[in-house]
Amino acid sequence: MEITCIQMAVAFGDPKTNFKNVATKIKTAAQTGTDVIILPEMWNTGYALTELATIADEEGKETQYLLSKLAEQLKVNIIGGSVAVKEEGEFYNRTYVYDRTGKLLSQYDKVHLFGLMAEDKYLTAGRMEHLFELDGIKQSSAICYDLRFSEWQRHHALKGAHVLYVPAQWPEPRLHHWRILLQARAIENQCFVVGINVCGNNPENIFAGHSLIVNPWGEIIEEADAEEGFLSANLDLEQVAEARGRIPVFADRHPELYQLDK
């Protein structure tokens, strides 16, 4: 399965510019014949959270129209990173996933909201898991801060996900955490983990870039720099079964001992 990550700078609080930019980049990425295109987090607005009342995508309509149309026209699967969505007076950090026919397969609202960027003050947390199939392969995606919650990624791996995607707006000062956490999630879940980050800056942050593609052994097989660009790899999905067969972590678990929050 060939995947292509779009690492981009997001125009802060400027959906019109971002939608135009994303459309152009998806068309360019599709020319390579890739199977899956993945976008980063909050690509429509950036973290202009105080402006969401006027700039968030109403019911996600503009995002859904664009991604569905491009997926169908280009015959490519699209994991839409995430966008700021307004719905029934609430705001969500939401992912949409489309298959090659332009069909909406799933959507996911970020579960773990990041207080250091004031998400918890402006956004409503999701309450649902996120599993989907692309070309017959079970996969999952989370969003940025979700990466720090290993039990959330394990939940999806236990349900059969072979690839975990993590669109993000991860700041440069914590680049070290980004790289290690992505590798750790790959090792412990014995699956591919793909981190899709933004680059550039907003009024309060410099973003790290360094999108990563990590194999089930925790090895970084592709890594971007800190600039805009595309990151691609051909995932040998047989490596998932190989890793899980050689070190049977899932079979050796004792979940009856892990209920630590009682």
Side-chain angles (χ1 to χ4, degrees):
M1 185 178 71
E2 184 82 19
I3 67 168
T4 299
C5 306
I6 295 177
Q7 181 170 290
M8 57 181 280
V10 173
F12 185 77
D14 187 354
K16 183 177 180 180
T17 295
N18 291 322
F19 273 98
K20 182 178 179 180
N21 192 20
V22 159
T24 298
K25 289 181 180 300
I26 288 176
K27 291 174 184 177
T28 300
Q31 292 175 2
T32 66
T34 192
D35 296 303
V36 185
I37 294 173
I38 316 102
L39 296 166
E41 181 187 20
M42 292 282 276
W43 59 258
N44 66 331
T45 62
Y47 269 84
L49 299 180
T50 60
E51 303 174 33
L52 291 185
T54 56
I55 65 174
D57 191 359
E58 189 76 38
E59 297 181 352
K61 290 180 180 178
E62 186 174 3
T63 303
Q64 292 184 63
Y65 175 77
L66 176 68
L67 298 185
S68 177
K69 179 182 70 172
L70 290 175
E72 181 180 16
Q73 288 179 348
L74 302 170
K75 302 295 185 289
V76 66
N77 302 298
I78 298 176
I79 299 172
S82 77
V83 291
V85 171
K86 180 180 180 181
E87 189 171 272
E88 297 181 354
E90 303 286 338
F91 300 101
Y92 299 89
N93 186 343
R94 178 172 294 171
T95 297
Y96 295 107
V97 177
Y98 287 87
D99 69 11
R100 298 175 187 272
T101 70
K103 177 183 177 182
L104 177 64
L105 295 184
S106 67
Q107 67 181 50
Y108 169 76
D109 295 328
K110 188 174 185 179
V111 167
H112 303 94
L113 299 182
F114 191 45
L116 286 180
M117 293 181 79
E119 279 190 312
D120 56 332
K121 295 181 180 178
Y122 296 96
L123 301 174
T124 298
R127 304 294 298 172
M128 300 294 291
E129 64 184 22
H130 193 215
L131 287 161
F132 53 89
E133 286 191 12
L134 293 175
D135 298 340
I137 302 160
K138 189 168 287 188
Q139 306 178 52
S140 175
S141 75
I143 301 174
C144 201
Y145 189 45
D146 286 330
L147 177 62
R148 291 186 178 272
F149 297 85
S150 58
E151 59 269 46
W152 192 228
Q153 318 306 318
R154 174 57 60 86
H155 171 82
H156 293 85
L158 286 169
K159 291 201 168 186
H162 279 45
V163 188
L164 301 174
Y165 301 95
V166 187
Q169 290 212 22
W170 201 279
E172 193 278 334
R174 292 186 290 279
L175 172 59
H176 181 59
H177 291 188
W178 168 250
R179 298 176 88 253
I180 288 177
L181 287 168
L182 289 167
Q183 290 178 276
R185 297 295 89 86
I187 292 168
E188 68 196 8
N189 293 304
Q190 300 173 312
C191 64
F192 286 93
V193 174
V194 182
I196 312 91
N197 201 16
V198 300
C199 54
N201 58 278
N202 69 16
E204 296 183 357
N205 297 279
I206 298 173
F207 296 105
H210 286 269
S211 297
L212 293 176
I213 302 173
V214 186
N215 73 15
W217 300 102
E219 299 163 339
I220 296 173
I221 56 177
E222 295 291 344
E223 180 172 1
D225 57 19
E227 305 300 323
E228 286 195 308
F230 302 96
L231 187 71
S232 297
N234 196 328
L235 307 188
D236 178 4
L237 294 165
E238 292 183 0
Q239 290 184 14
V240 176
E242 178 189 359
R244 292 177 179 178
R246 286 178 59 184
I247 306 176
V249 171
F250 291 5
D252 292 339
R253 296 172 67 249
H254 289 282
E256 72 279 4
L257 301 179
Y258 305 155
Q259 303 301 315
L260 304 180
D261 295 333
K262 291 181 180 179

